Amino acid sequence: MTRRDYINSILPKVEGRFISFFTDFAFKKLLGPGGKRQLIHFLNALLEGVEEPITDLTYHQQEHLGATIEDRDAIFDLHCVTDSGARIVIELQSSYQRNFMHRAVYYATFPIQDQAKRGGEWRFEFKAVYTIAILNFLMEDKGDHPEKVVSIGKISDVVTMEVLHDDLVFILIELPKFKKALDEVVDYKE
């Protein structure tokens, strides 16, 4: 086998003229540091009405070590800080993972802890933390809205649905529910 044949055998298969978004290479190319402008557009479209428009962001450390050697680490696909100070964790999950929401909650704790002031008094104030999960599988039963592609969750009262806390937001994007044809998709306008 030639080197080229070997490389082609391990690369993700491309259907038509597109590469799978669920490869680390494509994801980081589209939304990583080289795709900062695209990431800002994506986030502004996704967070419209939830967060002030993002004009700039910085890429933040992706690896978070547990406090002790026994603690579990977390490695984010992307971790950004917006110009307003909000933290955004973006996770891309290609295959079904049991307890995914437990993992998302666990990951959200790291950007909160990062904001804690060391030493002295801290009054538990932190900037918003958004955990965005782009999923290539369907979450468990979603009740009355099985066709809903994007779900946004906050800490809410289960009876009144009143939001109790605005600064911890989970956004799930279930891509298998996205059924538009290419000619039906429109560009995001600034």
Side-chain angles (χ1 to χ4, degrees), residues 1 4 13 21 36 40 45 54 56 76 81 93 95 99-100 104 114 120 147 149 154 163 165 172-173 175-176:
M1 177 181 285
R4 172 173 273 190
K13 302 298 180 232
F21 180 69
K36 182 177 177 177
I40 290 172
I54 299 165
D56 196 16
F76 307 139
V81 180
Q93 187 66 39
S95 58
N99 298 324
F100 181 80
D114 286 349
E147 74 290 339
V149 176
K154 296 180 179 183
V163 174
H165 187 35
L172 302 175
I173 304 168
L175 288 182

PDB file of all heavy atoms in Angstrom, residues 1 4 13 21 36 40 45 54 56 76 81 93 95 99-100 104 114 120 147 149 154 163 165 172-173 175-176:
ATOM      1  N   MET A   1       0.852  -1.177   0.000  1.00  0.00           N
ATOM      2  CA  MET A   1       0.000   0.000   0.000  1.00  0.00           C
ATOM      3  C   MET A   1       0.896   1.238   0.000  1.00  0.00           C
ATOM      4  O   MET A   1       1.810   1.343   0.797  1.00  0.00           O
ATOM      5  CB  MET A   1      -0.904  -0.030   1.246  1.00  0.00           C
ATOM      6  CG  MET A   1      -1.785   1.184   1.371  1.00  0.00           C
ATOM      7  SD  MET A   1      -2.855   1.220   2.852  1.00  0.00           S
ATOM      8  CE  MET A   1      -4.108   0.066   2.433  1.00  0.00           C
ATOM      9  N   ARG A   4       0.025   7.372  -0.001  1.00  0.00           N
ATOM     10  CA  ARG A   4      -1.202   8.082  -0.366  1.00  0.00           C
ATOM     11  C   ARG A   4      -2.428   7.204  -0.143  1.00  0.00           C
ATOM     12  O   ARG A   4      -3.444   7.667   0.378  1.00  0.00           O
ATOM     13  CB  ARG A   4      -1.130   8.536  -1.816  1.00  0.00           C
ATOM     14  CG  ARG A   4      -2.471   9.111  -2.308  1.00  0.00           C
ATOM     15  CD  ARG A   4      -2.351   9.687  -3.637  1.00  0.00           C
ATOM     16  NE  ARG A   4      -1.911  11.064  -3.398  1.00  0.00           N
ATOM     17  CZ  ARG A   4      -1.859  11.985  -4.313  1.00  0.00           C
ATOM     18  NH1 ARG A   4      -2.171  11.696  -5.537  1.00  0.00           N
ATOM     19  NH2 ARG A   4      -1.505  13.194  -4.026  1.00  0.00           N
ATOM     20  N   LYS A  13     -14.471   9.696   4.872  1.00  0.00           N
ATOM     21  CA  LYS A  13     -14.984   9.614   3.510  1.00  0.00           C
ATOM     22  C   LYS A  13     -15.809  10.859   3.206  1.00  0.00           C
ATOM     23  O   LYS A  13     -16.614  11.300   4.012  1.00  0.00           O
ATOM     24  CB  LYS A  13     -15.847   8.362   3.333  1.00  0.00           C
ATOM     25  CG  LYS A  13     -15.096   7.078   3.634  1.00  0.00           C
ATOM     26  CD  LYS A  13     -13.925   6.889   2.702  1.00  0.00           C
ATOM     27  CE  LYS A  13     -13.193   5.611   3.010  1.00  0.00           C
ATOM     28  NZ  LYS A  13     -11.790   5.768   3.190  1.00  0.00           N
ATOM     29  N   PHE A  21     -18.652  17.307   9.005  1.00  0.00           N
ATOM     30  CA  PHE A  21     -18.422  18.272  10.078  1.00  0.00           C
ATOM     31  C   PHE A  21     -17.969  17.557  11.353  1.00  0.00           C
ATOM     32  O   PHE A  21     -17.341  18.148  12.204  1.00  0.00           O
ATOM     33  CB  PHE A  21     -19.739  19.028  10.317  1.00  0.00           C
ATOM     34  CG  PHE A  21     -19.682  20.071  11.385  1.00  0.00           C
ATOM     35  CD1 PHE A  21     -18.938  21.221  11.200  1.00  0.00           C
ATOM     36  CD2 PHE A  21     -20.381  19.916  12.566  1.00  0.00           C
ATOM     37  CE1 PHE A  21     -18.892  22.200  12.181  1.00  0.00           C
ATOM     38  CE2 PHE A  21     -20.344  20.895  13.552  1.00  0.00           C
ATOM     39  CZ  PHE A  21     -19.593  22.035  13.353  1.00  0.00           C
ATOM     40  N   LYS A  36     -12.543  31.954  13.283  1.00  0.00           N
ATOM     41  CA  LYS A  36     -13.103  32.812  14.337  1.00  0.00           C
ATOM     42  C   LYS A  36     -14.320  33.601  13.847  1.00  0.00           C
ATOM     43  O   LYS A  36     -15.331  33.689  14.543  1.00  0.00           O
ATOM     44  CB  LYS A  36     -12.019  33.765  14.847  1.00  0.00           C
ATOM     45  CG  LYS A  36     -12.453  34.669  15.961  1.00  0.00           C
ATOM     46  CD  LYS A  36     -11.265  35.502  16.433  1.00  0.00           C
ATOM     47  CE  LYS A  36     -11.627  36.488  17.485  1.00  0.00           C
ATOM     48  NZ  LYS A  36     -10.458  37.238  17.970  1.00  0.00           N
ATOM     49  N   ILE A  40     -18.116  33.317  15.399  1.00  0.00           N
ATOM     50  CA  ILE A  40     -18.880  34.458  15.921  1.00  0.00           C
ATOM     51  C   ILE A  40     -20.251  34.528  15.244  1.00  0.00           C
ATOM     52  O   ILE A  40     -21.269  34.718  15.911  1.00  0.00           O
ATOM     53  CB  ILE A  40     -18.086  35.777  15.757  1.00  0.00           C
ATOM     54  CG1 ILE A  40     -16.885  35.782  16.721  1.00  0.00           C
ATOM     55  CG2 ILE A  40     -18.988  36.990  15.999  1.00  0.00           C
ATOM     56  CD1 ILE A  40     -15.916  36.936  16.513  1.00  0.00           C
ATOM     57  N   ALA A  45     -26.070  33.777  15.724  1.00  0.00           N
ATOM     58  CA  ALA A  45     -27.327  33.221  15.213  1.00  0.00           C
ATOM     59  C   ALA A  45     -27.968  32.316  16.259  1.00  0.00           C
ATOM     60  O   ALA A  45     -29.176  32.367  16.490  1.00  0.00           O
ATOM     61  CB  ALA A  45     -27.075  32.453  13.920  1.00  0.00           C
ATOM     62  N   ILE A  54     -22.168  39.039  19.983  1.00  0.00           N
ATOM     63  CA  ILE A  54     -20.738  38.879  20.215  1.00  0.00           C
ATOM     64  C   ILE A  54     -19.998  39.604  19.099  1.00  0.00           C
ATOM     65  O   ILE A  54     -20.275  39.371  17.921  1.00  0.00           O
ATOM     66  CB  ILE A  54     -20.357  37.383  20.226  1.00  0.00           C
ATOM     67  CG1 ILE A  54     -21.107  36.660  21.352  1.00  0.00           C
ATOM     68  CG2 ILE A  54     -18.855  37.191  20.347  1.00  0.00           C
ATOM     69  CD1 ILE A  54     -21.087  35.153  21.241  1.00  0.00           C
ATOM     70  N   ASP A  56     -16.415  40.002  19.463  1.00  0.00           N
ATOM     71  CA  ASP A  56     -15.086  39.395  19.476  1.00  0.00           C
ATOM     72  C   ASP A  56     -15.070  38.300  20.533  1.00  0.00           C
ATOM     73  O   ASP A  56     -15.900  38.280  21.445  1.00  0.00           O
ATOM     74  CB  ASP A  56     -14.012  40.437  19.790  1.00  0.00           C
ATOM     75  CG  ASP A  56     -12.609  39.950  19.430  1.00  0.00           C
ATOM     76  OD1 ASP A  56     -12.480  38.958  18.671  1.00  0.00           O
ATOM     77  OD2 ASP A  56     -11.644  40.559  19.906  1.00  0.00           O
ATOM     78  N   PHE A  76     -12.356  20.023  26.356  1.00  0.00           N
ATOM     79  CA  PHE A  76     -13.413  20.576  25.523  1.00  0.00           C
ATOM     80  C   PHE A  76     -12.984  20.568  24.059  1.00  0.00           C
ATOM     81  O   PHE A  76     -11.812  20.721  23.738  1.00  0.00           O
ATOM     82  CB  PHE A  76     -13.705  22.030  25.910  1.00  0.00           C
ATOM     83  CG  PHE A  76     -14.000  22.239  27.374  1.00  0.00           C
ATOM     84  CD1 PHE A  76     -13.490  23.334  28.036  1.00  0.00           C
ATOM     85  CD2 PHE A  76     -14.800  21.362  28.084  1.00  0.00           C
ATOM     86  CE1 PHE A  76     -13.766  23.561  29.373  1.00  0.00           C
ATOM     87  CE2 PHE A  76     -15.086  21.566  29.418  1.00  0.00           C
ATOM     88  CZ  PHE A  76     -14.566  22.671  30.067  1.00  0.00           C
ATOM     89  N   VAL A  81     -14.097  32.687  25.300  1.00  0.00           N
ATOM     90  CA  VAL A  81     -14.567  33.749  26.170  1.00  0.00           C
ATOM     91  C   VAL A  81     -14.963  34.904  25.260  1.00  0.00           C
ATOM     92  O   VAL A  81     -14.175  35.349  24.432  1.00  0.00           O
ATOM     93  CB  VAL A  81     -13.476  34.191  27.182  1.00  0.00           C
ATOM     94  CG1 VAL A  81     -14.000  35.310  28.073  1.00  0.00           C
ATOM     95  CG2 VAL A  81     -12.997  33.013  28.016  1.00  0.00           C
ATOM     96  N   GLN A  93     -20.376  15.856  19.380  1.00  0.00           N
ATOM     97  CA  GLN A  93     -20.488  14.446  19.741  1.00  0.00           C
ATOM     98  C   GLN A  93     -21.066  13.688  18.558  1.00  0.00           C
ATOM     99  O   GLN A  93     -22.218  13.877  18.195  1.00  0.00           O
ATOM    100  CB  GLN A  93     -21.384  14.290  20.981  1.00  0.00           C
ATOM    101  CG  GLN A  93     -21.430  12.911  21.541  1.00  0.00           C
ATOM    102  CD  GLN A  93     -20.090  12.469  22.114  1.00  0.00           C
ATOM    103  OE1 GLN A  93     -19.382  13.246  22.734  1.00  0.00           O
ATOM    104  NE2 GLN A  93     -19.746  11.222  21.887  1.00  0.00           N
ATOM    105  N   SER A  95     -21.217  10.175  18.073  1.00  0.00           N
ATOM    106  CA  SER A  95     -22.003   8.971  18.338  1.00  0.00           C
ATOM    107  C   SER A  95     -22.705   9.074  19.685  1.00  0.00           C
ATOM    108  O   SER A  95     -22.292   9.832  20.563  1.00  0.00           O
ATOM    109  CB  SER A  95     -21.103   7.734  18.304  1.00  0.00           C
ATOM    110  OG  SER A  95     -20.061   7.864  19.245  1.00  0.00           O
ATOM    111  N   ASN A  99     -25.879   9.167  29.193  1.00  0.00           N
ATOM    112  CA  ASN A  99     -25.630  10.185  30.218  1.00  0.00           C
ATOM    113  C   ASN A  99     -24.947  11.431  29.655  1.00  0.00           C
ATOM    114  O   ASN A  99     -24.176  12.085  30.356  1.00  0.00           O
ATOM    115  CB  ASN A  99     -24.804   9.625  31.377  1.00  0.00           C
ATOM    116  CG  ASN A  99     -25.513   8.494  32.083  1.00  0.00           C
ATOM    117  OD1 ASN A  99     -26.728   8.512  32.227  1.00  0.00           O
ATOM    118  ND2 ASN A  99     -24.767   7.499  32.509  1.00  0.00           N
ATOM    119  N   PHE A 100     -25.228  11.762  28.413  1.00  0.00           N
ATOM    120  CA  PHE A 100     -24.577  12.931  27.815  1.00  0.00           C
ATOM    121  C   PHE A 100     -24.875  14.212  28.590  1.00  0.00           C
ATOM    122  O   PHE A 100     -23.994  15.042  28.787  1.00  0.00           O
ATOM    123  CB  PHE A 100     -24.967  13.111  26.340  1.00  0.00           C
ATOM    124  CG  PHE A 100     -24.278  14.296  25.745  1.00  0.00           C
ATOM    125  CD1 PHE A 100     -22.960  14.192  25.329  1.00  0.00           C
ATOM    126  CD2 PHE A 100     -24.905  15.532  25.653  1.00  0.00           C
ATOM    127  CE1 PHE A 100     -22.287  15.293  24.824  1.00  0.00           C
ATOM    128  CE2 PHE A 100     -24.235  16.637  25.151  1.00  0.00           C
ATOM    129  CZ  PHE A 100     -22.926  16.509  24.733  1.00  0.00           C
ATOM    130  N   ALA A 104     -22.425  17.079  30.125  1.00  0.00           N
ATOM    131  CA  ALA A 104     -22.538  18.509  29.804  1.00  0.00           C
ATOM    132  C   ALA A 104     -22.582  19.350  31.079  1.00  0.00           C
ATOM    133  O   ALA A 104     -21.937  20.402  31.151  1.00  0.00           O
ATOM    134  CB  ALA A 104     -23.784  18.762  28.944  1.00  0.00           C
ATOM    135  N   ASP A 114     -13.354  28.393  37.052  1.00  0.00           N
ATOM    136  CA  ASP A 114     -12.278  29.259  36.544  1.00  0.00           C
ATOM    137  C   ASP A 114     -12.496  30.719  36.921  1.00  0.00           C
ATOM    138  O   ASP A 114     -11.550  31.488  37.022  1.00  0.00           O
ATOM    139  CB  ASP A 114     -12.166  29.168  35.021  1.00  0.00           C
ATOM    140  CG  ASP A 114     -11.539  27.873  34.548  1.00  0.00           C
ATOM    141  OD1 ASP A 114     -11.002  27.124  35.393  1.00  0.00           O
ATOM    142  OD2 ASP A 114     -11.597  27.610  33.336  1.00  0.00           O
ATOM    143  N   GLY A 120      -9.234  35.442  49.615  1.00  0.00           N
ATOM    144  CA  GLY A 120     -10.187  36.512  49.892  1.00  0.00           C
ATOM    145  C   GLY A 120     -11.624  36.062  49.738  1.00  0.00           C
ATOM    146  O   GLY A 120     -11.922  34.879  49.609  1.00  0.00           O
ATOM    147  N   GLU A 147     -39.576  17.019  16.812  1.00  0.00           N
ATOM    148  CA  GLU A 147     -38.919  17.541  15.604  1.00  0.00           C
ATOM    149  C   GLU A 147     -38.024  18.745  15.890  1.00  0.00           C
ATOM    150  O   GLU A 147     -37.340  19.244  15.009  1.00  0.00           O
ATOM    151  CB  GLU A 147     -39.977  17.926  14.556  1.00  0.00           C
ATOM    152  CG  GLU A 147     -40.752  19.198  14.853  1.00  0.00           C
ATOM    153  CD  GLU A 147     -41.742  19.127  16.023  1.00  0.00           C
ATOM    154  OE1 GLU A 147     -42.168  18.023  16.404  1.00  0.00           O
ATOM    155  OE2 GLU A 147     -42.085  20.191  16.558  1.00  0.00           O
ATOM    156  N   VAL A 149     -35.053  20.899  16.496  1.00  0.00           N
ATOM    157  CA  VAL A 149     -33.619  20.705  16.255  1.00  0.00           C
ATOM    158  C   VAL A 149     -32.781  21.303  17.381  1.00  0.00           C
ATOM    159  O   VAL A 149     -31.820  20.688  17.845  1.00  0.00           O
ATOM    160  CB  VAL A 149     -33.202  21.324  14.895  1.00  0.00           C
ATOM    161  CG1 VAL A 149     -31.699  21.211  14.681  1.00  0.00           C
ATOM    162  CG2 VAL A 149     -33.956  20.654  13.754  1.00  0.00           C
ATOM    163  N   LYS A 154     -32.372  26.154  30.751  1.00  0.00           N
ATOM    164  CA  LYS A 154     -31.853  26.940  31.869  1.00  0.00           C
ATOM    165  C   LYS A 154     -32.407  26.325  33.137  1.00  0.00           C
ATOM    166  O   LYS A 154     -33.311  25.496  33.092  1.00  0.00           O
ATOM    167  CB  LYS A 154     -32.305  28.404  31.770  1.00  0.00           C
ATOM    168  CG  LYS A 154     -31.784  29.142  30.562  1.00  0.00           C
ATOM    169  CD  LYS A 154     -32.290  30.577  30.573  1.00  0.00           C
ATOM    170  CE  LYS A 154     -31.759  31.349  29.380  1.00  0.00           C
ATOM    171  NZ  LYS A 154     -32.178  32.748  29.417  1.00  0.00           N
ATOM    172  N   VAL A 163     -37.732  31.090  35.010  1.00  0.00           N
ATOM    173  CA  VAL A 163     -36.284  30.891  35.025  1.00  0.00           C
ATOM    174  C   VAL A 163     -35.742  31.372  36.364  1.00  0.00           C
ATOM    175  O   VAL A 163     -35.973  32.507  36.771  1.00  0.00           O
ATOM    176  CB  VAL A 163     -35.609  31.648  33.853  1.00  0.00           C
ATOM    177  CG1 VAL A 163     -34.095  31.553  33.960  1.00  0.00           C
ATOM    178  CG2 VAL A 163     -36.082  31.077  32.520  1.00  0.00           C
ATOM    179  N   HIS A 165     -32.359  30.950  37.121  1.00  0.00           N
ATOM    180  CA  HIS A 165     -30.967  31.364  36.946  1.00  0.00           C
ATOM    181  C   HIS A 165     -30.667  31.479  35.450  1.00  0.00           C
ATOM    182  O   HIS A 165     -30.811  30.511  34.714  1.00  0.00           O
ATOM    183  CB  HIS A 165     -30.054  30.336  37.602  1.00  0.00           C
ATOM    184  CG  HIS A 165     -28.615  30.728  37.631  1.00  0.00           C
ATOM    185  ND1 HIS A 165     -28.175  32.019  37.803  1.00  0.00           N
ATOM    186  CD2 HIS A 165     -27.487  29.988  37.516  1.00  0.00           C
ATOM    187  CE1 HIS A 165     -26.850  32.047  37.794  1.00  0.00           C
ATOM    188  NE2 HIS A 165     -26.420  30.831  37.617  1.00  0.00           N
ATOM    189  N   LEU A 172     -28.685  22.330  23.015  1.00  0.00           N
ATOM    190  CA  LEU A 172     -28.497  21.059  22.319  1.00  0.00           C
ATOM    191  C   LEU A 172     -28.948  21.216  20.881  1.00  0.00           C
ATOM    192  O   LEU A 172     -30.056  21.673  20.616  1.00  0.00           O
ATOM    193  CB  LEU A 172     -29.327  19.950  22.972  1.00  0.00           C
ATOM    194  CG  LEU A 172     -29.078  19.676  24.439  1.00  0.00           C
ATOM    195  CD1 LEU A 172     -30.063  18.638  24.944  1.00  0.00           C
ATOM    196  CD2 LEU A 172     -27.656  19.221  24.661  1.00  0.00           C
ATOM    197  N   ILE A 173     -28.093  20.816  19.968  1.00  0.00           N
ATOM    198  CA  ILE A 173     -28.431  20.842  18.546  1.00  0.00           C
ATOM    199  C   ILE A 173     -28.393  19.394  18.064  1.00  0.00           C
ATOM    200  O   ILE A 173     -27.324  18.788  17.996  1.00  0.00           O
ATOM    201  CB  ILE A 173     -27.434  21.700  17.748  1.00  0.00           C
ATOM    202  CG1 ILE A 173     -27.375  23.116  18.328  1.00  0.00           C
ATOM    203  CG2 ILE A 173     -27.810  21.720  16.265  1.00  0.00           C
ATOM    204  CD1 ILE A 173     -26.227  23.949  17.796  1.00  0.00           C
ATOM    205  N   LEU A 175     -28.569  17.297  15.155  1.00  0.00           N
ATOM    206  CA  LEU A 175     -28.474  17.423  13.701  1.00  0.00           C
ATOM    207  C   LEU A 175     -29.292  16.398  12.918  1.00  0.00           C
ATOM    208  O   LEU A 175     -29.759  16.728  11.824  1.00  0.00           O
ATOM    209  CB  LEU A 175     -27.013  17.401  13.269  1.00  0.00           C
ATOM    210  CG  LEU A 175     -26.244  18.681  13.618  1.00  0.00           C
ATOM    211  CD1 LEU A 175     -24.817  18.602  13.102  1.00  0.00           C
ATOM    212  CD2 LEU A 175     -26.928  19.916  13.075  1.00  0.00           C
ATOM    213  N   PRO A 176     -29.519  15.167  13.400  1.00  0.00           N
ATOM    214  CA  PRO A 176     -30.354  14.251  12.611  1.00  0.00           C
ATOM    215  C   PRO A 176     -31.776  14.771  12.379  1.00  0.00           C
ATOM    216  O   PRO A 176     -32.449  14.329  11.457  1.00  0.00           O
ATOM    217  CB  PRO A 176     -30.382  12.970  13.453  1.00  0.00           C
ATOM    218  CG  PRO A 176     -29.109  13.009  14.223  1.00  0.00           C
ATOM    219  CD  PRO A 176     -28.899  14.471  14.537  1.00  0.00           C
TER     220      PRO A 176
END
